[in-house]
Amino acid sequence: MADKKVTTDSGIEIKKVYSPITNQPITNIEQPGEFPFTRGIQPDMYRGRLWTMRQYAGFSTAEESNKRYKYLLANGTTGLSVAFDLPTQIGYDSDHAMSEGEVGKVGVAIDSLRDIEILFDGIQLEDITTSMTINSTASTLLAFYIALARKQGADIKKISGTIQNDILKEYAARGTYIYPPKPSMRIITDIFEYCANEVPKWNTISISGYHIREAGSTAVQEIAFTLSNAKAYTKAAIEKGLDINVFGQRLSFFFNAHNNFFEEVAKFRAARRMWAKMSKELGATNPKAQMLRFHTQTGGSTLQAQQSDNNIPRVTMQALAAVLGGTQSLHTNGFDEALNLPTENAARIALRTQQIIAFESGVVDTVDPLAGSYFVEQLTDEIEAAAWKYISTIDAMGGAVNAIEQGYMQKEIAASSYLYQTQIESTEKIIVGVNKFTSNDEINPPSFKIDDSIRLVQIDKINKVKSERDNEKVAKLLAQLKQDAKDGTNVMPCIIDAVEQYATLGEIADVFRNEFGEYRA
């Protein structure tokens, strides 16, 4: 009987058995911490320092999210990660008509510096690293954070964290864009420039494959499209006159950890090697500017509403793949997130999953423990080769921006998503509890929903802020911001000045809307 053909989710054929390709002397094997960093960016990896356990959280009001952050910190999380609601992500204050029904639903509602003051009440920004999943309005959220750090008396040259700030993947996969690509890229490079001088420890962008994968891409497409976007950002910064050996050290990446265990491990190893080569070709000579540092989140799209407890082993497997792949920080999803926002119990189990891997499994005791596996090494090579083919196609189209404007990435992701879904529906791909091993006695966990009354709370806060601030001063700063946007002056200093006077997020976004226009797909 002929062997059944088995492939990874990217369609790479998996052999029945793997053997060494060459008899490579052990002295020539690449070492961790050395170019091209396939085996990790640090010589000792987790033996020296564990990954940051950075649980993604944010919902309802700043007051409620602050309670969750303090709960996570008390339970051992080592970094904060802020989720924002949709109005915040697309530049509308909570009192805008477009915000109705969405305030505080998928993240915390942030309208002004007052909300940020409440969000981080009792948390010293010099003592914690904070990641903010925000893109179109990233400049404003960073300005809020810097303004609060100043109010706390912090040295902003010492504060550290990350803004996602990756607008290209929004056009390709996620959809929370506001402005057209070119002015959006300009704001991003303004942030690069400002932070290099003023906030040198801040990661100015988290180039995100996560949402590309959530939209239905394969693992190969995830890293190919992400690295193509990274190339576009890097070239834009170089054209602005910035030094890749400086800003390149503050680039970070964000990947998905999906279900195909070995493919995911190999994907992370291949991505690291590819970025080292790509950044070197773009002019990076400083090893720290050649290193691909990345955060990982377990796969949201892999969570199932049916038999939701099954999501706990799914998340565990995905988290382990991220750790074996050499991630620098990790978020593990709550098992109930296919149904609602994670309850405190689900958030605690998700964090404990990371802690058990870190402190009980022994996988942190040696660097890159899967190195030398005939299967993993060859799969790493094959994923890299397949990803370079995509990148070559995108390069031939003139780069990521052109490829997105022509719909290339979107079409490739859609085709992969369709294929994956048809494989599930035909049971060619088994999802336990969904298309096999189903059960009629479903027990759903406690629900956690956000009430629409949250919007009224936020509107009251906005009205209070506007009644107490110096509105004449705010108007002058917003007029200056419009002029800076028009004449090419770096917009960050004026945004910071404006938010310190309690200009709202929506007011700042409207300045850019009026100057740059809005993008229509």
Side-chain angles (χ1 to χ4, degrees), residues 307-326:
Q307 299 180 28
S308 60
D309 285 354
N310 293 346
N311 294 324
I312 297 174
R314 284 188 184 104
V315 167
T316 303
M317 176 177 64
Q318 293 164 5
L320 184 58
V323 170
L324 292 174

Side-chain angles (χ1 to χ4, degrees), residues 306-307 310 314 430-439 442:
Q306 301 94 321
Q307 299 180 28
N310 293 346
R314 284 188 184 104
I430 301 300
I431 307 296
V432 174
V434 177
N435 63 0
K436 196 167 186 178
F437 312 113
T438 57
S439 173
E442 289 287 321

Side-chain angles (χ1 to χ4, degrees), residues 26 70 72 106 119 125 165 203 214 246 248 269 279 285 332 344 379 405 443 446 454 483 495:
I26 197 159
K70 288 176 177 174
L72 289 169
V106 299
L119 187 67
L125 302 190
N165 202 26
N203 296 325
E214 288 290 284
V246 177
R269 299 173 90 247
S279 61
T285 54
T332 33
E344 280 196 353
L379 188 54
E405 288 179 337
I443 301 174
I454 294 301
Q483 187 58 43
I495 294 175

Side-chain angles (χ1 to χ4, degrees), residues 269-283:
R269 299 173 90 247
R272 204 160 32 236
R273 186 160 71 199
M274 292 174 72
W275 178 245
K277 295 173 183 176
M278 187 181 284
S279 61
K280 188 175 182 179
E281 288 176 2
L282 290 165

Side-chain angles (χ1 to χ4, degrees), residues 127-420:
D127 299 336
I128 195 82
T129 64
T130 303
S131 173
M132 296 189 283
T133 303
I134 197 76
N135 299 285
S136 292
T137 54
S139 56
T140 305
L141 268 297
L142 176 58
F144 285 148
Y145 198 85
I146 290 169
L148 177 59
R150 286 175 172 172
K151 287 194 75 170
Q152 289 184 350
D155 180 352
I156 67 166
K157 291 190 182 297
K158 293 181 180 177
I159 63 170
S160 59
T162 305
I163 41 172
Q164 191 164 105
N165 202 26
D166 175 6
I167 201 64
L168 292 179
K169 66 93 176 49
E170 296 295 329
Y171 303 118
R174 190 162 176 263
T176 61
Y177 45 72
I178 305 175
Y179 324 113
K182 287 182 174 61
S184 293
M185 293 288 281
R186 175 266 174 99
I187 295 172
I188 288 168
T189 55
D190 279 0
I191 294 170
F192 286 4
E193 181 179 50
Y194 176 83
C195 289
N197 296 322
E198 304 296 334
V199 199
K201 290 190 173 182
W202 196 267
N203 296 325
T204 49
I205 194 167
S206 176
I207 306 157
S208 176
Y210 183 85
H211 306 96
I212 291 170
R213 191 66 176 279
E214 288 290 284
S217 81
T218 66
V220 167
Q221 289 169 339
E222 179 187 355
I223 62 170
F225 297 165
T226 303
L227 293 178
S228 286
N229 289 346
K231 181 188 278 193
Y233 293 125
T234 302
K235 284 186 169 182
I238 291 169
E239 287 170 7
K240 193 179 178 73
L242 304 182
D243 183 355
I244 188 174
N245 288 303
V246 177
F247 76 80
Q249 296 183 53
R250 305 321 309 174
L251 302 179
S252 64
F253 292 79
F254 174 25
F255 291 119
N256 199 303
H258 220 267
N259 281 338
N260 194 310
F261 184 82
F262 289 108
E263 182 174 42
E264 293 303 292
V265 173
K267 175 189 79 179
F268 298 131
R269 299 173 90 247
R272 204 160 32 236
R273 186 160 71 199
M274 292 174 72
W275 178 245
K277 295 173 183 176
M278 187 181 284
S279 61
K280 188 175 182 179
E281 288 176 2
L282 290 165
T285 54
N286 186 329
K288 289 186 177 180
Q290 299 169 341
M291 293 176 181
L292 185 146
R293 298 168 300 119
F294 69 99
H295 171 72
T296 308
Q297 181 173 338
T298 55
S301 62
T302 69
L303 299 174
Q304 304 301 327
Q306 301 94 321
Q307 299 180 28
S308 60
D309 285 354
N310 293 346
N311 294 324
I312 297 174
R314 284 188 184 104
V315 167
T316 303
M317 176 177 64
Q318 293 164 5
L320 184 58
V323 170
L324 292 174
T327 194
Q328 276 61 68
S329 67
L330 177 61
H331 164 86
T332 33
N333 290 327
F335 70 90
D336 56 357
E337 288 189 59
L339 298 164
N340 44 244
L341 290 167
T343 59
E344 280 196 353
N345 179 52
R348 183 175 60 250
I349 290 171
L351 177 58
R352 294 289 182 256
T353 299
Q354 294 200 48
Q355 292 165 336
I356 289 167
I357 291 172
F359 297 106
E360 296 186 28
S361 71
V363 298
V364 302
D365 294 342
T366 188
V367 180
D368 194 22
L370 294 182
S373 156
Y374 304 142
F375 177 36
V376 171
E377 295 292 358
Q378 190 165 333
L379 188 54
T380 301
D381 291 346
E382 291 184 71
I383 287 173
E384 179 181 5
W388 281 126
K389 286 183 181 178
Y390 273 113
I391 291 170
S392 295
T393 299
I394 292 166
D395 285 347
M397 298 174 76
V401 175
N402 286 348
I404 289 167
E405 288 179 337
Q406 293 174 40
Y408 171 72
M409 291 188 193
Q410 297 92 313
K411 289 174 185 174
E412 291 294 313
I413 293 167
S416 296
S417 178
Y418 178 77
L419 176 62
Y420 189 82

Side-chain angles (χ1 to χ4, degrees), residues 62-72 119 344:
E63 290 88 346
E64 291 301 312
S65 293
N66 176 262
K67 291 176 187 176
R68 178 61 65 89
Y69 296 157
K70 288 176 177 174
Y71 174 82
L72 289 169
L119 187 67
E344 280 196 353

